[in-house]
Amino acid sequence: MSMGLTAPQSRLLTFIKDWIAKEGYPLTYRQMCDGLGYKSLSVPHHLVKQLIKRGCVRAQKYMRGTLEIIDEAPHEKPAPRLVINLKGNEFINVEQIGDCDVRIVRT
């Protein structure tokens, strides 16, 4: 993941995503420990707190089973492109988004 996560955070986030995709519901800290080989509940608890701070997951305070993945799409940059609009052979306007890719539209 490109959000600047540490290796343990990234590993846990992947594990959580896979679990939710397979089972359809969030897992417990004990299940995180068992699945990733941690001996203490404090390890996944700390990592989940860090993932919440980084905006990767969210959970409602004081409620079990509310851990959910936050969609990654808002963090991704749109592909850069340049759009040139023409009417016949007449130039209308140019819309530049980023640095590359060119699309010519004739109307």
Side-chain angles (χ1 to χ4, degrees), residues 75-88:
H75 301 288
E76 294 174 2
K77 247 171 91 173
R81 61 192 173 107
L82 177 64
V83 179
I84 301 171
N85 291 315
L86 302 171
K87 183 168 183 130

Side-chain angles (χ1 to χ4, degrees), residues 82-86 91 93-95 102-106:
L82 177 64
V83 179
I84 301 171
N85 291 315
L86 302 171
F91 169 74
N93 73 335
V94 175
E95 174 189 351
V102 176
R103 183 178 76 184
I104 299 175
V105 179
R106 289 187 186 263

Side-chain angles (χ1 to χ4, degrees), residues 43-57:
V43 176
H45 184 262
H46 173 74
L47 292 172
V48 167
K49 282 175 46 179
Q50 294 303 312
L51 291 174
I52 290 169
K53 279 185 183 178
R54 291 179 183 262
C56 300
V57 298

